[in-house]
Amino acid sequence: MPMPSAMLLKSRSSPTDETKKEQKGLVFDASLYQHEVNIPAQFIWPDHEKPCADQPPPLVVPPIDLKGYLAGDPFAISNAIMLIDEACQKHGFFQVVNHGIDLELINEAHKNISSFFAMPFLEKQRAEKKAGDISGYASSFTNRFSSKLPWKETLSFRYSADQQSAYKVEDYFSNVIGEDFRQFGRICQEYCEAMSNLSLVIMELLGMSLGIGPSYLRDFFEGNDSIMRLNYYPPCQKPDQTLGTGPHCDPTSLTILHQDDVGGLEVFFDDKWHSILPNKEAFVVNIGDTFMALSNGIYKSCLHRAVVNNCTPRKSLAFFLSPKMDKVVRPPESLIKMDSARKFPDFTWSTFLEFTQKHYRSDMKTLDAFAHWLQVGNK
């Protein structure tokens, strides 16, 4: 598939006045739409992208047992490196178990997700995500796109691991959503801190599996400037017509996902869709586009999506690890020498983030489109 031209990028990011009117007129109130038999046309996906009629086969995703690794067991370390290397070269998805994250913290986060998304639509709108912003509440992105809308609600917010940063998740919740949500903000702050620490452990493993040692990637992501997203997929009476999240590769570096017990995550591998079965004791981890560039294409960012059902809401917590905004994403020399060629140009995370927020709707070709956008002068 050829890379999009600058003209195509412009058309994707600059809706006409008529489109803007259509977008403004559609309000996705999940409490109402989950009962609708006839869903709006904006939520109906093309036939070739609609969910599979039958349950797709499960993807064999290796569980990486962190207990032995954290205890310094040589066999556990070598086994983890082998499993993670194989998974990341194939499709970029794996799971971590015995991760040491407090299950009570995870459960509290899920409870608060349910409470937030159960609020009346107008109350959630107090935290509405503005165009181009990272943080905020989005009801199916109706204010940004006019077709192939995802059947979901999200609450996204920034997390900074930089000790000098004045940004605090807790303050975001109390200032934007309301003082009553300060406790929810504390839980999310604690959860993000746990995810940031876990991601640095995973980066040690990824560094060893790439042959660049445990400290290179850990140091690169110290003080990370990441994104946390709470996902809520309400029931849909026509689940065969729409998607909770369309096919895409994550533009960030690493995604650490915790699913509830309702299935819905699917990964495209070997020319077909596979499901990733829920496991409350595991985190699903996948490589994103930024890390694929950092590894010079050795590790893959894989296409995935989320489907919905007609009876049970689904929740998930997604932590998107990203480097500091001004960090230059460039592979270490040893990984360039292995292939004697650069796969992607240098870039900063802030530039890539701007591209995905203002100029391009993330899909399976986001990184290629971004590289082209850089080459033509960000027009």
Side-chain angles (χ1 to χ4, degrees):
M1 182 183 295
M3 286 189 288
S5 65
M7 183 178 295
L8 176 58
L9 291 178
K10 186 176 180 181
S11 71
R12 292 183 67 154
S13 60
S14 306
T16 64
D17 290 341
E18 192 61 37
T19 298
K20 288 177 181 177
K21 288 178 184 176
E22 290 174 6
Q23 290 172 295
K24 191 173 181 181
L26 179 65
V27 176
F28 182 70
D29 185 341
S31 66
L32 300 176
Y33 274 103
Q34 64 182 331
H35 304 296
E36 287 289 331
V37 175
N38 296 314
I39 65 175
Q42 293 95 322
F43 290 94
I44 298 175
W45 285 64
D47 288 344
H48 68 282
E49 292 185 286
K50 286 177 181 174
C52 310
D54 301 317
Q55 175 75 15
L59 181 70
V60 178
V61 183
I64 312 296
D65 192 332
L66 293 183
K67 187 175 182 180
Y69 170 76
L70 293 170
D73 180 345
F75 175 76
I77 293 171
S78 62
N79 189 55
I81 291 171
M82 177 191 70
L83 290 174
I84 211 169
D85 181 60
E86 183 180 3
C88 290
Q89 291 203 51
K90 277 186 177 178
H91 46 62
F93 270 79
F94 55 93
Q95 296 186 79
V96 291
V97 296
N98 293 324
H99 41 69
I101 308 299
D102 186 357
L103 292 179
E104 185 59 32
L105 173 62
I106 298 170
N107 291 335
E108 281 299 310
H110 275 285
K111 286 178 188 175
N112 279 275
I113 289 178
S114 298
S115 298
F116 175 82
F117 288 109
M119 291 196 313
F121 177 74
L122 290 179
E123 290 188 35
K124 290 179 284 191
Q125 280 288 88
R126 288 184 300 182
E128 182 182 14
K129 184 176 182 289
K130 304 297 189 243
D133 285 354
I134 298 173
S135 303
Y137 166 75
S139 57
S140 190
F141 304 118
T142 55
N143 64 343
R144 186 177 176 195
F145 307 120
S146 60
S147 64
K148 298 200 297 186
L149 293 179
W151 194 267
K152 70 175 179 179
E153 299 175 274
T154 61
L155 179 63
S156 306
F157 46 91
R158 175 186 167 198
Y159 166 75
S160 175
D162 185 347
Q163 297 301 313
Q164 305 304 314
S165 173
Y167 182 86
K168 299 294 180 189
V169 174
E170 178 184 337
D171 293 339
Y172 171 77
F173 272 73
S174 59
N175 294 338
V176 176
I177 307 176
E179 189 61 33
D180 291 346
F181 289 85
R182 182 172 290 278
Q183 179 58 24
F184 186 12
R186 285 191 190 125
I187 291 168
C188 289
Q189 177 82 39
E190 188 179 344
Y191 186 90
C192 287
E193 288 168 356
M195 291 301 100
S196 177
N197 291 334
L198 177 59
S199 69
L200 296 183
V201 172
I202 295 170
M203 281 299 161
E204 290 179 0
L205 276 169
L206 288 168
M208 288 188 284
S209 65
L210 283 167
I212 56 177
S215 61
Y216 184 94
L217 294 173
R218 184 186 180 99
D219 292 346
F220 188 86
F221 287 98
E222 284 278 2
N224 59 83
D225 202 332
S226 299
I227 301 167
M228 183 74 208
R229 180 169 295 158
L230 314 178
N231 296 305
Y232 182 80
Y233 302 90
C236 176
Q237 299 308 308
K238 290 288 180 66
D240 59 331
Q241 300 294 306
T242 190
L243 289 168
T245 302
H248 69 287
C249 297
D250 294 334
T252 45
S253 297
L254 197 74
T255 302
I256 305 179
L257 182 79
H258 192 272
Q259 307 185 80
D260 62 9
D261 56 2
V262 181
L265 177 61
E266 296 184 351
V267 176
F268 195 73
F269 175 63
D270 268 352
D271 296 322
K272 60 178 178 289
W273 289 101
H274 296 75
S275 62
I276 293 190
L277 302 177
N279 178 355
K280 283 191 173 184
E281 295 184 356
F283 288 102
V284 178
V285 184
N286 67 271
I287 298 299
D289 285 341
T290 298
F291 192 87
M292 182 163 69
L294 192 57
S295 73
N296 204 33
I298 296 172
Y299 284 172
K300 312 301 180 189
S301 177
C302 190
L303 192 65
H304 56 285
R305 68 184 185 183
V307 299
V308 293
N309 65 78
N310 62 3
C311 56
T312 310
R314 175 176 178 259
K315 307 184 301 295
S316 67
L317 300 125
F319 180 82
F320 300 104
L321 176 72
S322 304
K324 285 185 176 180
M325 290 290 184
D326 59 354
K327 276 271 192 183
V328 176
V329 177
R330 186 179 196 278
E333 287 299 322
S334 59
L335 298 186
I336 298 171
K337 290 175 182 175
M338 285 174 63
D339 205 352
S340 70
R342 287 290 303 280
K343 296 293 193 301
F344 306 99
D346 289 358
F347 61 89
T348 61
W349 166 237
S350 61
T351 307
F352 195 13
L353 179 62
E354 177 192 355
F355 178 73
T356 60
Q357 294 299 306
K358 297 181 179 179
H359 303 286
Y360 194 84
R361 183 175 185 173
S362 295
D363 58 14
M364 68 290 290
K365 291 292 182 181
T366 306
L367 187 54
D368 287 339
F370 173 60
H372 180 69
W373 183 72
L374 290 175
Q375 290 162 2
V376 298
N378 302 2
K379 294 178 182 177

